[in-house]
Amino acid sequence: MVEDIAAALAAHGLLLRGGFNFAGGEETPSGLSGAAARSVLLVGQAGAAPWPHFLRWREGRSQTIADPLDTWSREVIGAVAETFGARAASPSDTPYLPFQQWAMQAEGLKPSPLGILMHPQYGLWHAYRGALLFEDEIAFGETREVVHLCDACVDKPCLKSCPVDAYSADGFAHGTCLAHVRGHNGAPCRTGGCLDRNACPYGAAYRYPPEVQAFHMTAFAGL
Ligand code: B12
């Protein structure tokens, strides 16, 4: 079944990002019938693979849809969920579901100094578009031990490239970042994406094109 789900998602440029069975006793989100989910599969992207699919979908629709990428993701992942008897959840659903904690468990990833999870192949250029929640357990193999590239990165250019030091050991200064991106000197971030994220040397082949980075930055900054 998992291979069939992966194939259904791949038709939209989406990637099955692993999953796990919830440990007994913890509070879990509900599945399709409303009973507690027993397993989760994460759906995401490596690089900007879904972008052309999203653009084609968007052509035939109103250009004023709020959160169009979320809407596309919900539509596509919702259809796959329906086919396979799962409930689809979105990273934007509130209260927020712990997508990054789930991803760490599913793929053995760890956070970079930016908070974005570091992937051994995709670097910082990956994201989550949804999750499939099942009321039955799934037979998973062992989660592989993955190398955390940030451990070997001495220079940490990701912490040195932002003109307002939005990312530091104290975490992400959301307000400082927003004010800069919206302001006069924020043009490079608006058109080409976050300078700290772009400074990371890993996963360069998966770096989102400027058009995609500008789309996300516009959404982030509410421009
Ligand atoms: C709220 C939110 C934000 C807020 C954070 C506010 C705050 N200080 O908490 C803001 C708006 C700042 C934000 C920004 C970004 N975010 Co954000 N965000 C979320 C969201 C929707 C909820 C986080 C949450 O509270 N979860 C609930 C808790 C219980 O779950 P958790 O797994 O334990 O959450 C961890 C993260 O939230 C993390 N965290 C806390 N603060 C921040 C800030 C940043 C920047 C990141 C990346 C993580 C992070 O620490 C938590 C504890 O482990 C998640 C999706 C999700 N459902 O998790 C995306 C998510 C964490 N964001 C993501 C990304 C990529 C970003 C951006 C880098 C990119 C963008 N959207 O353009 C930007 C950074 C801005 C920039 N200059 O580039 C990705 C990370 C993917 C990855 N590869 O790891 C996620 C998973 C969304 C997705 N669709 O994939 N984000």
Side-chain angles (χ1 to χ4, degrees), residues 18-220:
F20 60 92
N21 294 315
F22 291 110
E26 68 182 309
E27 203 182 310
T28 63
S30 55
L32 196 55
S33 79
R38 302 200 39 205
S39 57
V40 59
L41 293 177
L42 289 173
V43 179
Q45 65 187 68
W51 190 250
H53 299 267
F54 164 66
L55 287 186
R56 267 199 300 281
W57 171 90
R58 206 178 180 189
E59 267 169 24
R61 285 174 175 76
S62 159
Q63 295 305 300
T64 55
I65 296 178
D67 304 321
L69 189 57
D70 279 352
T71 305
W72 173 80
S73 305
R74 284 198 170 97
E75 199 172 302
V76 167
I77 297 168
V80 173
E82 201 174 319
T83 305
F84 293 95
R87 182 173 81 80
S90 161
S92 309
D93 289 347
T94 50
Y96 292 134
L97 291 163
F99 267 81
Q100 288 194 303
Q101 286 179 41
W102 286 352
M104 290 190 252
Q105 201 167 335
E107 288 189 301
L109 306 183
K110 291 185 185 153
S112 67
L114 304 187
I116 304 170
L117 300 179
M118 172 56 73
H119 188 277
Q121 188 178 355
Y122 318 133
L124 301 177
W125 305 104
H126 65 106
Y128 303 91
R129 301 260 69 94
L132 301 173
L133 294 157
F134 294 88
E135 291 177 15
D136 293 314
E137 293 204 344
I138 297 175
F140 291 104
E142 286 280 290
T143 307
R144 299 173 287 133
E145 185 78 12
V146 297
V147 63
H148 184 50
L149 294 170
C150 304
D151 285 343
C153 179
V154 177
D155 281 351
K156 305 244 182 299
C158 65
L159 292 177
K160 295 176 185 159
S161 305
C162 170
V164 294
D165 282 333
Y167 289 99
S168 70
D170 299 333
F172 177 54
H174 186 191
T176 308
C177 170
L178 262 187
H180 176 70
V181 170
R182 288 174 176 163
H184 183 63
N185 294 323
C189 318
R190 290 198 295 272
T191 54
C194 171
L195 302 184
D196 271 346
R197 192 177 187 181
N198 276 295
C200 174
Y202 301 117
Y206 294 89
R207 189 185 302 267
Y208 301 165
E211 175 198 5
V212 177
Q213 296 208 45
F215 171 89
H216 287 295
M217 197 53 95
T218 302
F220 163 75

